[in-house]
Amino acid sequence: MSATRRPLVTLMLGAVGIVYGDIGTSVLYALKQVFSAGNLSLSPDHVYGVLSLLFWMVTLIVTLKYVVLVLRADNKGEGGTLAMLALASQAVVNRPRLRRILFAIGVFGAALFYGDGIITPAISVLSAIEGLTLVAPWSAPYIVPATLGVLLALFMVQRRGTEGIGRYFGPVMLLWFVVIGALGLGQILVHPQVVWAVMPVYAIRFVAQQPGTAFMLLGVLVLCVTGVEALYADLGHFGRRPIRLAWAALVMPALTLSYFGQGAVLLADPSALRSPFYLMAPEAARVPLVLLATACTVIASQALISGAFSLTKQAIQLGYLPRLHLQHTSTVHAGQIYIPFINWTLFVAVAGAVLFFRSSDALAAAYGVAVCGLMLITTIMLFFVMVYRWKTSMVPVAILVCLLLLLDLLLSASAAMKIPTGGWFPLVCALIIFVLMRTWHQGRIALLRARHAGAVELSGLVSQALMSSTTRVKGIAVFFTAHPRRAPGALLHNIKHNKVLHEFNLFVTVQFQEEPWVPQESRVVLTALGNQCFEVIINYGFKDDPDIPRELAGIRDQGFDVSTMPTSYFLGRDAVIAGAGPTPQPKWRKRLFVHMHRNAAEVAGFMKLPKNATVELGGIVEI
């Protein structure tokens, strides 16, 4: 059922469970890290100043930038880094140089998402389980093993999908926001003066009195907005209105109450800095609160893992990652997928982060660099969407975007100070992924050019084959070609070695468009070439599921029927070697592409071709 057809309350509950898991569990560690990193005394001026900075950062970044502005930039109802990239690139389609730059920036943003995805499950689960040390100090040596156990269980259940347990995400997170809001409210009632921190004058005064400290704290305060990209990434699942209403009616008030309640605790007892969140609760309620927090951090991590699967699928279909083995975990929701390679690679990286940093305090020093970079990239692409796609007047857009860019640059510059103390970790991970994505994209272009250079005209080859002794046999042959009107290598090999041509020949080109979905009625473009040969162009969006037999079965008025006639699918699977080809890439990147190409998943499975009717023919291509 689409988002627009489900009840609003159901969509809001789903948004609470999926969209706001990460930002909702930031209350576990964000405020503690701010005061610890700044070595600030817990005087009223400092507490009010930090709370005011935190409140207005959430208001400007989450409410103004994402909830009000970014959610408007939907790509046929879909959101996310690559959806925004597609919008921006389409907006500047007549400026090829600028378009290439935007693609490079957008792909790096996608790589940063993976880098953030490594730190988020590690710090979230670790910070939740660390709460056990308050009620059982003897448990300290077991915190890291317990965290790894929870994470292993989380990644092991991915192959089963989230359809069964996903229905509980919303109610559990709803309970979480009610609990943290109630705990915060209880402390605020004890120290009601803390609510004055909502006034921006306290933030301004803090910055004016301690500008250096305030700048340094920006990179730590970003912890309170981690997960903000999920608002945009999950736009297609829930729609703009439910996400906005859930934020305004529940999430923002609960977060504000929780942070201000922690501030009240710190004012009453400075020693509570060791865990201000858990110390808001009565002692008898702390163990249940740890269990609830652990469940919620698992939910937050689940949402990010699912997002990594979805982003990977989009990157594959846009040509930035090689084909990977993909499993659908739901017969109802096409978007619920499982990619084993991504799942276990992510687990190894997350477990490595836990073992290397060993505490949420240390992980906090690594957190924020990738988030700030991704927010900066989103602002840059939003500018081009607003100016070139929405045709908004340049002056107001420039003023607004300059303000947002200034904030993003300040956050990024402050977060960059954390690079020596751990911020390098997600950044290195993102750079590695970026190199892989760029290598694959450029290598594919080089491979297509090499194949095109040696290709012959399709119509001429067919005419020549019909005039020769080539035998025509009954049935349908489906040949795949990257270049329309050019003869695919599999056809050349079939004519040369088997000396046959089928009764009906379909030359299929699969194209992935820079939009999430292509309507069924617009997917197939058929052109008759004569002699019962047809050119078939099949268009998919970057979130569509390719199924070639299904698309071809819809062609019924050309004298053939794929669903009833014997059909053979011929694939070209060339062996690629790194040689002295025309590609301007260094030798090591050519070898890397060759390795990625060799280990890519089979085309037949990716296109859902029947195994017993698929033939692979190929040669050697040098790049």
Side-chain angles (χ1 to χ4, degrees), residues 115 118-119 122-123 126 130 144 148 349-367 418-427 429:
I118 293 169
I119 298 293
I123 191 174
L126 190 54
E130 283 174 343
V144 169
L148 292 175
V350 171
V354 172
L355 290 170
F356 182 81
F357 292 99
R358 304 194 70 81
S359 73
S360 61
D361 289 346
L363 275 166
Y367 211 15
K418 301 160 74 173
I419 291 177
T421 58
W424 57 267
F425 184 82
L427 202 57
C429 293

Side-chain angles (χ1 to χ4, degrees), residues 251-270:
V251 180
M252 179 64 171
L255 292 177
T256 303
L257 289 172
S258 180
Y259 283 122
F260 278 53
Q262 291 180 55
V265 168
L266 293 175
L267 287 171
D269 180 11

Side-chain angles (χ1 to χ4, degrees), residues 362-378:
L363 275 166
Y367 211 15
V369 179
V371 176
C372 292
L374 188 52
M375 290 194 299
L376 177 61
I377 288 170
T378 298

Side-chain angles (χ1 to χ4, degrees), residues 47-228:
V47 173
Y48 290 5
V50 168
L51 287 176
S52 186
L53 274 174
L54 187 152
F55 175 80
W56 286 102
M57 177 177 288
V58 172
T59 300
L60 292 174
I61 293 179
V62 184
T63 305
L64 175 62
K65 178 179 174 180
Y66 281 87
V67 174
V68 175
L69 289 175
V70 174
L71 285 183
R72 290 187 59 214
D74 66 288
N75 192 336
K76 293 190 175 180
E78 292 294 328
T81 303
L82 293 181
M84 176 75 85
L85 171 60
L87 280 177
S89 66
Q90 291 167 8
V92 295
V93 68
N94 296 324
R95 297 170 171 82
R97 181 180 176 84
L98 178 58
R99 195 165 184 260
R100 286 194 298 270
I101 294 173
L102 282 178
F103 260 103
I105 294 173
V107 170
F108 186 63
L112 287 172
F113 179 87
Y114 288 106
D116 180 40
I118 293 169
I119 298 293
T120 295
I123 191 174
S124 297
V125 177
L126 190 54
S127 62
I129 296 179
E130 283 174 343
L132 286 173
T133 58
L134 292 175
V135 292
W138 54 265
S139 65
Y142 305 101
I143 297 300
V144 169
T147 300
L148 292 175
V150 170
L151 289 170
L152 178 61
L154 172 63
F155 281 92
M156 286 182 68
V157 301
Q158 294 304 310
R159 62 187 180 88
R160 299 181 180 275
T162 59
E163 190 170 15
I165 61 174
R167 69 189 70 176
Y168 302 109
F169 286 2
V172 171
M173 290 305 303
L174 176 62
L175 175 63
W176 171 257
F177 285 113
V178 170
V179 167
I180 67 173
L183 290 175
L185 180 61
Q187 297 298 327
I188 291 171
L189 292 176
V190 177
H191 198 294
Q193 297 91 335
V194 77
V195 299
W196 290 109
V198 299
M199 298 176 62
V201 64
Y202 287 98
I204 295 170
R205 183 186 302 166
F206 182 81
V207 172
Q209 292 175 350
Q210 302 185 62
T213 301
F215 172 74
M216 185 272 293
L217 288 182
L218 286 177
V220 188
L221 280 167
V222 77
L223 292 171
C224 67
V225 296
T226 56
V228 68

Side-chain angles (χ1 to χ4, degrees), residues 275-462:
S275 187
F277 173 79
Y278 283 112
L279 291 173
M280 284 195 300
E283 187 172 352
R286 286 173 192 165
V287 172
L289 187 59
V290 168
L291 297 177
L292 177 61
T294 302
C296 292
T297 55
V298 167
I299 291 172
S301 301
Q302 172 62 61
L304 197 142
I305 295 167
S306 299
F309 292 158
S310 178
L311 180 65
T312 300
K313 177 187 173 184
Q314 296 173 31
I316 290 171
Q317 299 189 174
L318 285 173
Y320 282 94
L321 283 175
R323 294 178 305 276
L324 297 171
H325 179 59
L326 182 151
Q327 300 173 11
H328 287 271
T329 59
S330 172
T331 57
V332 178
H333 303 288
Q336 292 189 12
I337 58 176
Y338 169 63
I339 305 177
F341 177 80
I342 296 297
N343 185 69
W344 293 111
T345 301
L346 200 57
F347 170 73
V348 170
V350 171
V354 172
L355 290 170
F356 182 81
F357 292 99
R358 304 194 70 81
S359 73
S360 61
D361 289 346
L363 275 166
Y367 211 15
V369 179
V371 176
C372 292
L374 188 52
M375 290 194 299
L376 177 61
I377 288 170
T378 298
T379 302
I380 293 171
M381 291 192 291
L382 179 64
F383 169 77
F384 289 98
V385 172
M386 294 175 72
V387 172
Y388 293 102
R389 189 175 183 89
W390 296 349
K391 307 298 182 183
T392 310
S393 176
M394 177 66 80
V395 174
V397 169
I399 294 173
L400 178 61
V401 170
C402 283
L403 291 174
L404 293 176
L405 275 177
L406 177 61
L407 179 58
D408 289 335
L409 288 170
L410 284 171
L411 290 172
S412 298
S414 179
M417 297 172 63
K418 301 160 74 173
I419 291 177
T421 58
W424 57 267
F425 184 82
L427 202 57
V428 167
C429 293
L431 286 171
I432 292 172
I433 295 167
F434 177 71
V435 169
L436 291 174
M437 295 176 78
R438 290 287 292 173
T439 298
W440 179 256
H441 181 68
Q442 293 174 348
R444 279 186 73 251
I445 293 174
L447 180 59
L448 291 174
R449 287 175 178 170
R451 286 172 172 167
H452 187 265
V456 298
E457 188 181 356
L458 178 60
S459 58
L461 178 66
V462 172

Side-chain angles (χ1 to χ4, degrees), residues 534-601:
F534 301 88
E535 175 189 87
V536 184
I537 297 178
I538 302 178
N539 296 289
Y540 287 114
F542 55 74
K543 297 196 74 172
D544 283 320
D545 286 315
D547 189 333
I548 302 304
R550 178 190 63 200
E551 313 304 344
L552 297 181
I555 304 172
R556 299 293 177 86
D557 56 353
Q558 298 294 332
F560 63 88
D561 187 345
V562 170
S563 61
T564 60
M565 297 175 64
T567 304
S568 299
Y569 297 87
F570 292 88
L571 292 172
R573 189 173 178 86
D574 294 320
V576 182
I577 60 173
T583 314
Q585 288 184 328
K587 191 76 171 181
W588 69 269
R589 290 191 70 183
K590 289 185 179 183
R591 289 173 177 168
L592 176 59
F593 173 77
V594 169
H595 178 76
M596 296 171 73
H597 184 270
R598 187 181 299 126
N599 290 279

